[in-house]
Amino acid sequence: MDNKTNFSLESKVALVTGASYGIGFAIAKALAGAGATIVFNDIKQELVDKGIAAYKEEGITAYGYVCDVTDEDAVNAMIAKIEEEVGVVDVLVNNAGIIKRIPMIEMSAKDFRQVIDVDLNAPFIVSKAVIPSMIKKGHGKIINICSMMSEFGRETVSAYAAAKGGLKMLTRNIASEYGEHNIQCNGIGPGYIATPQTAPLREVQPDGSRHPFDQFIISKTPAGRWGEASDLGGPAVFLASDASDFVNGQILYVDGGIQAYIGKQPS
């Protein structure tokens, strides 16, 4: 098989959760560019409508569904509807997620549980829903959007780090349990990505200097910049394609080299 065919996603149905905008949208756009039919969900109809319009602007026909991915019955109903209206899901990207930046001793158990529910339980629920049809079809790709917090801790993100660390291990367990059915489950661990959510951390200060956190990230990243959502597209296409058929249970960190770098010596 030649490389062009190896990386093609023609005739594949790809479900990207929470992909109305941001990282999920960028990944879905890359998968569509490789030939995949895009399906996505969001929690509100208005977000789904905005997503469909955004895909249309890019020349992509996408199928959007309203679904809370923490609700197992709703997810099962959505997957059944997708299979009926679009086709069996060949590629699942568990992208939907939230973060609450609260010091641990100030964080309520309710807030902690909500982050775990969206960032860890939901990928379990959606993966569980698509795996039976992948087994029947004889192949499948699951890509979990992990994080550098799958490896590291940091102030105010105890729930997020716990969830993303758990998602790394769920990734490895799905690979272990279903690899014999030609299902590959891998993760992508984005570094610090320039999105609307991180914009306040990159704002120029009143004195013209960079935000302190912006300075910190630039100093820790060998690439010398924040990542762009589009930087995740190539890795996603690779992990969704036949080119990665013997890659399973791995986390591909797309972080500009942060994890390889000890940092500069203070001057």
Side-chain angles (χ1 to χ4, degrees):
M1 186 178 292
D2 62 51
N3 281 336
K4 186 174 181 181
T5 304
N6 224 12
F7 284 89
S8 172
L9 298 179
E10 293 289 342
S11 79
K12 306 292 187 184
V13 175
L15 167 59
V16 186
T17 64
S20 296
Y21 59 92
I23 286 173
F25 181 84
I27 287 174
K29 181 180 171 183
L31 298 181
T37 298
I38 300 302
V39 181
F40 73 100
N41 83 289
D42 220 311
I43 199 165
K44 295 179 181 178
Q45 185 65 54
E46 63 188 76
L47 292 174
V48 170
D49 292 342
K50 286 181 180 179
I52 289 173
Y55 285 109
K56 189 174 181 180
E57 283 184 15
E58 298 288 342
I60 299 168
T61 299
Y63 300 85
Y65 295 84
V66 177
C67 181
D68 177 352
V69 287
T70 68
D71 182 332
E72 187 168 13
D73 290 339
V75 167
N76 289 336
M78 178 182 71
I79 297 303
K81 198 170 183 183
I82 291 169
E83 291 187 356
E84 178 185 346
E85 296 178 351
V86 186
V88 170
V89 174
D90 299 287
V91 179
L92 166 64
V93 182
N94 282 309
N95 165 76
I98 61 171
I99 187 169
K100 289 179 180 283
R101 294 182 176 90
I102 305 171
M104 181 176 167
I105 61 172
E106 297 174 17
M107 189 175 211
S108 69
K110 181 180 178 181
D111 282 337
F112 188 93
R113 290 190 188 102
Q114 185 185 10
V115 175
I116 298 295
D117 207 20
V118 176
D119 293 357
L120 180 56
N121 290 341
F124 163 78
I125 290 168
V126 185
S127 298
K128 180 184 172 186
V130 302
I131 285 172
S133 290
M134 289 181 172
I135 292 173
K136 288 179 184 177
K137 201 166 185 179
H139 71 81
K141 302 281 186 175
I142 298 173
I143 303 170
N144 292 324
I145 304 304
C146 296
S147 166
M148 288 196 303
M149 297 304 109
S150 296
E151 301 291 342
F152 302 135
R154 194 169 64 78
E155 298 86 350
T156 77
V157 293
S158 58
Y160 185 78
K164 293 299 186 177
L167 186 58
K168 174 183 73 174
M169 293 312 300
L170 178 63
T171 300
R172 291 176 175 174
N173 203 79
I174 292 172
S176 301
E177 210 166 339
Y178 297 105
E180 65 179 308
H181 296 286
N182 194 28
I183 295 172
Q184 291 83 48
C185 182
N186 294 287
I188 292 176
Y192 286 91
I193 306 297
T195 64
Q197 289 89 338
T198 60
L201 301 175
R202 292 177 281 110
E203 287 181 348
V204 176
Q205 302 302 286
D207 64 0
S209 66
R210 302 178 89 141
H211 189 289
F213 191 78
D214 188 14
Q215 294 180 41
F216 168 69
I217 293 305
I218 296 301
S219 71
K220 290 291 291 181
T221 306
R225 65 175 177 88
W226 287 65
E228 299 293 336
S230 58
D231 288 322
L232 303 170
V237 170
F238 166 64
L239 292 177
S241 72
D242 293 345
S244 62
D245 277 356
F246 205 56
V247 179
N248 214 356
Q250 303 301 309
I251 312 299
L252 175 55
Y253 289 99
V254 186
D255 64 1
I258 288 179
Q259 293 193 71
Y261 187 43
I262 196 170
K264 294 180 181 178
Q265 179 177 333
S267 57

